[in-house]
Amino acid sequence: MNPPMSDSNFRKPVRKAVFPVAGLGTRFLPATKAIPKELLPIVDRPLIQYAVDEAREAGIEEFVFVTGRGKTAIVEHFDTAFELEATMTGRGKSLEPLDSTRIEPGNLVTVRQQVPLGLGHAVWCARAVVGDEPFAIFLPDELMYGTPGCMAQMVEAYGEVGGNLVSVLEVPMEEVSSYGVIAPGETLDILGGNLTEVKGLVEKPKVEDAPSNKIVSGRYILQPEVMGLLASQGKGAGGEIQLTDSMAKLIGMQPFHAVTFNGRRFDCGSKVGFVEATLAIALDRADMGAEVREMAMKMLG
């Protein structure tokens, strides 16, 4: 059983979010030679914008980008573009398309991950900004599409159980070796049965060793104690510092649950997934869905 907790213990509000965006995007070369992968558009919004919008919907106030060389354009995207806005205003054009791209001054912080040592290391690089508060993690490659958004669903669950949470999705068993997988415990009779105790975490298990087909899908709410665990952790799978290894040590020490996301996930780390997301979201948009559907039918016919 998890240790008892008070309202002040493992239930502080989640105000900060970490976005690991230091990757080189080599799968998308040559498109990513000069442009960060996170700025490649799904229809007319950069990939990173979908994650930031999801974070805002969930009440996130502070945004921490863990960056590397060549990623300054991500910060520019969330800055005020004075010349662009002045020109648009002078021409009588609405600034509404830019409204979601502004983050309040002081609420966007960048830290550098100088060496590519994996997700756990990237999160650890944000330790000074996170401090002693719980925090969310968004992997922008995972485009989580639904209403309410994935993190909003997780924050609702956090209000019920506190502690640590991961979002999960069920995949065919033969695919589990590509992901982190949970060992599920009891399913809680709240939030439509989408909340499950987590008894263990395994990174990229063999199919025959996998404890379930519930994969961790790019959204996390973690307590600050994970930073101390990451600091002393050695390299794991792939020679990288794995976030999963440190999260697993919190199980039994703190409440730990999985939220099954009620929505769709697109793996925009792959080219096929990126195209799938573009097509699915275009089809779902009121301003273009019918035209895109007609165009697709012609092409497929």
Side-chain angles (χ1 to χ4, degrees):
M1 288 293 292
N2 287 321
M5 64 180 184
S6 67
D7 279 350
S8 61
N9 199 15
F10 314 133
R11 283 185 187 258
K12 285 183 181 176
V14 181
R15 302 184 312 112
K16 299 177 179 180
V18 174
F19 300 81
V21 292
L24 297 174
T26 52
R27 289 188 197 175
F28 286 84
L29 286 170
T32 50
K33 182 180 177 183
I35 298 169
K37 177 182 64 177
E38 295 81 10
L39 290 182
L40 296 180
I42 303 285
V43 187
D44 54 6
R45 278 199 292 170
L47 190 53
I48 186 68
Q49 184 74 56
Y50 288 89
V52 166
D53 290 346
E54 181 191 330
R56 282 177 162 145
E57 180 201 15
I60 298 297
E61 300 168 9
E62 295 183 36
F63 304 81
V64 187
F65 291 166
V66 182
T67 68
R69 288 184 188 84
K71 297 285 186 164
T72 53
I74 297 174
V75 180
E76 297 284 340
H77 176 74
F78 293 103
D79 200 355
T80 300
F82 176 78
E83 299 88 344
L84 175 62
E85 294 182 17
T87 301
M88 290 175 69
T89 301
R91 293 176 180 173
K93 293 189 175 182
S94 169
L95 296 181
E96 190 271 334
L98 299 177
D99 288 346
S100 64
T101 67
R102 298 188 200 91
I103 291 177
E104 289 292 315
N107 284 0
L108 188 158
V109 178
T110 63
V111 296
R112 280 290 180 107
Q113 183 187 24
Q114 283 101 340
V115 285
L117 285 177
L119 176 58
H121 181 260
V123 171
W124 178 77
C125 288
R127 64 198 181 282
V129 186
V130 167
D132 63 353
E133 295 186 43
F135 63 103
I137 303 171
F138 290 76
L139 307 189
D141 276 3
E142 308 263 356
L143 200 166
M144 308 296 271
Y145 192 67
T147 305
C150 183
M151 187 54 66
Q153 293 178 30
M154 292 178 71
V155 167
E156 183 184 4
Y158 180 81
E160 297 282 344
V161 295
N164 303 273
L165 292 111
V166 293
S167 70
V168 294
L169 290 162
E170 294 187 20
V171 300
M173 205 68 196
E174 59 268 22
E175 295 178 17
V176 293
S177 56
S178 300
Y179 303 98
V181 178
I182 70 161
E186 182 186 351
T187 297
L188 278 66
D189 191 22
I190 53 175
L191 303 177
N194 283 342
L195 195 58
T196 307
E197 277 187 293
V198 175
K199 295 294 190 184
L201 290 162
V202 186
E203 185 66 29
K204 298 180 179 175
K206 293 178 181 176
V207 172
E208 58 271 23
D209 297 333
S212 76
N213 67 335
K214 292 178 183 280
I215 64 162
V216 180
S217 53
R219 300 292 184 271
Y220 313 77
I221 293 174
L222 298 178
Q223 296 297 317
E225 286 78 11
V226 76
M227 292 297 192
L229 296 171
L230 286 168
S232 58
Q233 184 180 301
K235 294 177 182 177
E240 297 181 336
I241 295 174
Q242 297 288 350
L243 180 63
T244 303
D245 293 342
S246 283
M247 290 196 306
K249 293 174 186 172
L250 293 173
I251 296 168
M253 296 168 53
Q254 298 180 353
F256 210 120
H257 294 86
V259 178
T260 302
F261 173 47
N262 184 17
R264 298 178 70 182
R265 163 193 173 265
F266 300 104
D267 176 12
C268 293
S270 78
K271 284 180 271 197
V272 171
F274 199 95
V275 173
E276 182 190 11
T278 302
L279 182 58
I281 289 173
L283 286 168
D284 198 41
R285 283 189 32 167
D287 62 336
M288 65 170 63
E291 287 179 80
V292 172
R293 188 176 305 276
E294 186 179 343
M295 177 179 65
M297 297 289 278
K298 282 181 185 174
M299 292 172 71
L300 293 169

